[in-house]
Amino acid sequence: MRKFTELKGLVAPLDRANVDTDMIIPKQFLKSIKRTGFGKNLFDELRYLDEGKPDQSCEGRPLNEDFVLNQTRYQGSSVLIARQNFGCGSSREHAPWALDDYGFRSVIAPSFADIFFNNCFKNGLLPIVLTEEQVDQLFNEVEATEGYELDINLDAQTVTTPSGESFSFEVDAFRKHCLLNGLDDIGVTLESEEKIKEYEARRRQETPWLFDAIQGA
Amino acid sequence: MTNKTLYDKLWDAHVVAERDDGSSLIYIDRQLLHEVTSPQAFEGLRIADRKPWRIDANLATPDHNVPTTERSSGVQGIEDPVSRIQVQTLDDNCDEFGIVEFKMLDERQGIVHVVGPEQGATLPGMTVVCGDSHTSTHGAFGALAHGIGTSEVEHVLATQTLVQKKMKNMLVRVNGKVAPGITGKDIILAIIGEIGTAGGTGYAIEFAGEAISDLSMEGRMTMCNMAIEAGARAGMIAVDQTTIDYVKGRTYAPKGEMWDRAVEAWADLHSDEGAHFDKVVELDGPSIEPQVTWGTSPEMVLPVSHNVPNPANATDSVEKEGITRALEYMGLEADQAITDIQLDRVFIGSCTNSRIEDLRAAAEVVKGRQVASTLKQALVVPGSGLVKAQAEEEGLDKIFTEAGLEWREPGCSMCLAMNADKLGQGEHCASTSNRNFEGRQGFGGRTHLVSPAMAAAAAIAGKFVDVREFVSA
């Protein structure tokens, strides 16, 4: 996994609550068996005026000029700010894959849906929870200032505005450790291989009906 | 000994190891796999040269992409090449790793969340995961079940565990009996209307109360299925005789002496008297009416007798903006009666409502009647091949087709429109599925979530009606 340590990036404001994962990456693009290539279809239904199809080039498709990511001033942004309950709905990891593939490295919102929040950490994407007031302030500043950038420091757990104002955020110690070091979760878990085996042996004694029922031909 | 909630008990029984930061390694008893969220996980195993930890913990079936029309030529008959590759990839991966899969032409194929319980692959006291948010369905069996992302699918395949933080406990109690004609779908929609789509975020919800214990397993699965639409990854219901009667005799359920041991163990799968819940929500069962969603989020729901909201009455600017945007997308006027919404299509199916009881309820309403001539299509998609066979044995397919509804092959179908079944732009659909998000059922499509009986009545009337008045009329 790619490390996340510090990021100074252009901010794009998506002024919506309850942004669901169908919106982030519509279902027709979930048919891919790869992890990459979803960026061009990020927010497809908001971004383009026509219906997107998988395996289609997006060049020449009619753009929704009103959509924030189509505005010149937000090109190249790597931090997305949004309203409450970001990432609700489907568990599709294609949502963080699409955000990542587009170029986002961090999403800031007052709250996130659980599964999406969790999926971000598996992909080197940092979801940050700030208060409603802080997010409101960021929206106001971003919209008022072209080229608005935020400085995100994971080690210090801070988001710093261009004026030097700093907001701190919470992050689980283990998730932080994995992100800072780009660690593969599976590798870390397999360090506990013996413990898993011990647990499993005990469960086989206590609840044998949970084992071996499903057998191939 | 402290008093524990059902969730506390399930959690404690599955902790393999605890970490200093408060996260734990949790053992996973069952993983269900389908074609959309598994290919990258299998690819990950191959790249790292890892093998599945425990083959017999997994069960796979393709559901999201499969066509629901004639499909006797199997995978090769899937017209959309991208869908075909995805289903073929699941077949190939299961073959390569030795995982049991009900392939497209197997009668046991169907929607994972219908197939697992139907086969007895979902049992009380289990931890159940799947790369699908509606995995919460399986909590109806007194199991800890939730959706996971693809990286976690790979993690479970490779280690049989997940790194988790314990959620908080929420109790939703529905007191008293619901009125005749009110289903699990109406109850869960009413709950989501009450607590909102983020009301359960960070919680495991236990549903309890007389209205819940009165429900069949099908009704309970519908409720737990939509716990995620209230933001809760896991929903659950205590084990009782209804649970045990449902599980008994199913293919993968324990048999003989093992069955007796299991039933004895399952007797503890309920919250103890006086157990602590971080949040308690109570609803009055008798006052729940048939529910219809009017907007683009499941919390935008009202009783069928009401009018859609007016943004002028919103309490804050975010809510006002949300209502305005939803009305615009849905093509509705503020204060319009829900019963005035004209429908274009009806969809009866999905992991929420495609089980035999759902189909029986819908058939009862349409029997001897005709689908409104203004409707373009009314689809009935059974949840599995076995549900389909059962329905046909009972003659439900004939009732549907004689009334003018289409009888299809099992799959996820128009719930998320990954196959050929989808809404056209601007079309209104009465749907028994779980999400009314923008574009969910097709680009520009407008979804209204309802119970199977309400969808059936809407198919006949061409618009929403209170199914209770409709049946007695």
Side-chain angles (χ1 to χ4, degrees), chain B residues 371-386:
Chain B
V371 166
S373 59
T374 48
L375 233 56
K376 292 176 186 158
Q377 185 181 45
L379 276 185
V380 186
V381 184
S384 72
L386 293 177

Side-chain angles (χ1 to χ4, degrees), chain B residues 23-234:
Chain B
S23 66
S24 297
L25 204 57
I26 292 296
Y27 191 80
I28 301 303
D29 296 310
R30 178 74 68 235
Q31 172 153 253
L32 301 167
L33 297 156
H34 63 84
E35 78 278 21
V36 179
T37 54
S38 68
Q40 299 86 352
F42 283 113
E43 187 61 18
L45 285 188
R46 265 190 295 269
I47 289 167
D49 195 23
R50 290 178 174 131
K51 292 267 175 284
W53 180 279
R54 224 189 95 199
I55 301 283
D56 70 291
N58 300 282
L59 181 64
T61 191
D63 56 8
H64 284 63
N65 276 281
V66 298
T68 58
T69 46
E70 201 284 324
R71 60 191 202 195
S72 55
S73 45
V75 181
Q76 295 319 314
I78 301 178
E79 274 183 33
D80 177 350
V82 201
S83 290
R84 187 168 63 236
I85 290 169
Q86 204 168 48
V87 175
Q88 185 63 54
T89 303
L90 179 68
D91 288 1
D92 294 347
N93 283 327
C94 289
D95 290 347
E96 179 186 338
F97 291 102
I99 288 169
V100 173
E101 182 198 5
F102 301 155
K103 295 190 165 77
M104 249 180 86
L105 295 180
D106 190 315
E107 197 186 26
R108 299 167 295 176
Q109 177 270 337
I111 305 171
V112 278
H113 309 310
V114 175
V115 169
E118 183 173 79
Q119 292 295 326
T122 303
L123 294 174
M126 274 184 164
T127 41
V128 182
V129 296
C130 173
D132 188 286
S133 59
H134 292 112
T135 309
S136 55
T137 308
H138 308 266
F141 290 83
L144 174 55
H146 58 81
I148 54 177
T150 298
S151 295
E152 290 181 318
V153 171
E154 183 183 342
H155 194 279
V156 173
L157 279 169
T159 71
Q160 213 51 51
T161 63
L162 274 181
V163 178
Q164 295 283 292
K165 258 199 148 158
K166 195 175 176 195
M167 296 178 267
K168 290 180 284 183
N169 279 289
M170 184 189 296
L171 176 67
V172 176
R173 192 189 290 119
V174 186
N175 298 309
K177 289 189 179 298
V178 291
I182 300 301
T183 66
K185 184 63 162 286
D186 300 300
I187 302 174
I188 188 65
L189 284 172
I191 292 169
I192 296 166
E194 178 84 19
I195 69 175
T197 47
T201 301
Y203 290 94
I205 299 181
E206 179 177 349
F207 300 106
E210 189 179 0
I212 307 301
S213 48
D214 279 352
L215 290 171
S216 65
M217 286 316 293
E218 284 87 348
R220 296 179 189 187
M221 283 190 257
T222 300
M223 292 211 47
C224 291
N225 173 276
M226 290 189 72
I228 184 66
E229 309 315 330
R233 281 196 303 156

Side-chain angles (χ1 to χ4, degrees), chain B residues 207-413:
Chain B
F207 300 106
E210 189 179 0
I212 307 301
S213 48
D214 279 352
L215 290 171
S216 65
M217 286 316 293
E218 284 87 348
R220 296 179 189 187
M221 283 190 257
T222 300
M223 292 211 47
C224 291
N225 173 276
M226 290 189 72
I228 184 66
E229 309 315 330
R233 281 196 303 156
M236 62 191 69
I237 294 172
V239 173
D240 62 9
Q241 196 57 42
T242 305
T243 325
I244 290 168
D245 290 345
Y246 181 98
V247 173
K248 190 170 189 182
R250 298 201 175 256
T251 307
Y252 299 131
K255 308 274 176 344
E257 187 211 350
M258 193 88 93
W259 169 258
D260 297 334
R261 271 182 72 187
V263 170
E264 200 183 318
W266 297 341
D268 189 44
L269 294 174
H270 57 81
S271 289
D272 294 331
E273 196 78 34
H276 173 74
F277 286 91
D278 302 284
K279 191 171 173 183
V280 177
V281 176
E282 304 217 32
L283 268 82
D284 178 45
S287 58
I288 297 174
E289 290 182 54
Q291 305 284 309
V292 180
T293 65
W294 56 269
T296 52
S297 161
E299 70 185 13
M300 294 172 162
V301 64
L302 285 168
V304 62
S305 60
H306 287 212
N307 296 345
V308 304
N310 191 325
N313 301 328
T315 50
D316 61 60
S317 64
V318 173
E319 188 193 358
K320 184 175 182 175
E321 173 71 6
I323 295 174
T324 306
R325 188 175 268 154
L327 291 182
E328 189 188 331
Y329 180 84
M330 295 298 287
L332 298 174
E333 301 290 328
D335 297 320
Q336 173 181 355
I338 285 178
T339 49
D340 283 343
I341 299 170
Q342 295 296 316
L343 297 167
D344 301 288
R345 292 180 203 262
V346 169
F347 170 61
I348 298 172
S350 85
C351 58
T352 313
N353 281 126
S354 64
R355 299 179 181 85
I356 190 69
E357 179 185 280
D358 301 316
L359 303 187
R360 286 179 189 142
E364 194 185 320
V365 174
V366 304
K367 190 173 187 178
R369 295 180 159 104
Q370 280 300 312
V371 166
S373 59
T374 48
L375 233 56
K376 292 176 186 158
Q377 185 181 45
L379 276 185
V380 186
V381 184
S384 72
L386 293 177
V387 169
K388 179 169 185 263
Q390 172 74 29
E392 288 174 355
E393 200 180 303
E394 297 177 19
L396 304 185
D397 58 323
K398 295 281 184 304
I399 294 174
F400 287 125
T401 51
E402 280 166 14
L405 292 95
E406 295 174 36
W407 179 245
R408 295 292 188 86
E409 298 294 329
C412 298
S413 181

